[in-house]
Amino acid sequence: MICTVSCRVVALSRDTVCMATVIRQGLEVLFTRQQIADRVAEMGAQITHDLNGEKLVMVGVLKGAAPFLADLARAVQVDATFDFVATSSYGKGQRSSGAVKLIKDLDEPIEGKNVLVVEDILDTGLTLSYLRKLFLQQHPKTLRIAALLDKPSRRLEKIEADYVGFSIPNLFVIGYGMDYAERYRNLPDICLMTPDHPE
Ligand code: IMP
């Protein structure tokens, strides 16, 4: 059987490229589920090491970070609890309105605790700057950030994640929790929408 797979090279940075593979019309895979799993395992090992046996509160930013939090939590070898917050999002398209609003607050106080904010993408930095400021008012013992993806070229606020899965250029991605107008969150790979996307 002859099988043709359509691929193209995507530059992630000056020195790193990746092969994006078309999986169906309008969708190409940027990071496969295996690449994600391998990187999440590495991040989990690093976080475990940094915690030195202490307990952790993992705070997921809904909705996009849910799959990442679920996988990262199982890669972290410490006693961890979960909490979730929700902020105003991109709405129905690819652009942020700029203003961040808290839609759902923490369920439990975080004073004196080791807190890890788990986010799908660090983009302009508006969301995580807002959350960091808010959480610091509660005086956690430590406050760290894990972002699966980082788009440094898009930053408007001075903020970095302590743990980054993959650094990418200014690309709009979907899958593994990330959406376009609430769709595609359940794709198991991180994908790009191509111009021939049927919509
Ligand atoms: P920031 O406040 O600009 O850093 O944006 C953070 C949020 O924007 C992320 O948690 C995502 O929900 C959303 N976002 C940013 N870039 C993308 C993307 O490429 N695809 C889907 N959502 C994105």
Side-chain angles (χ1 to χ4, degrees), residues 9-18 31 152 166-171:
V9 174
V10 175
L12 296 181
S13 69
R14 241 176 40 180
D15 323 307
T16 325
V17 294
C18 130
F31 296 111
F166 304 99
S167 189
I168 61 168
N170 184 13
L171 298 169

Side-chain angles (χ1 to χ4, degrees), residues 61-65 87-90 93-96 98 100 118-130 149 151 154-157 159 168-175 177-181 185 191-192:
V61 185
L62 293 171
K63 303 171 191 166
T87 60
S88 55
S89 73
Y90 269 49
Q94 298 188 0
R95 291 273 168 265
S96 167
V100 181
V118 181
E119 173 67 306
D120 54 359
I121 308 185
L122 175 51
D123 185 26
T124 63
L126 289 166
T127 307
L128 283 170
S129 298
Y130 170 86
L149 297 178
K151 296 188 199 172
R154 295 257 308 153
R155 206 75 92 247
L156 296 176
E157 292 283 334
I159 185 160
I168 61 168
N170 184 13
L171 298 169
F172 192 83
V173 293
I174 51 173
M178 292 164 282
D179 74 309
Y180 173 69
R185 291 193 195 274
C191 299
L192 297 171

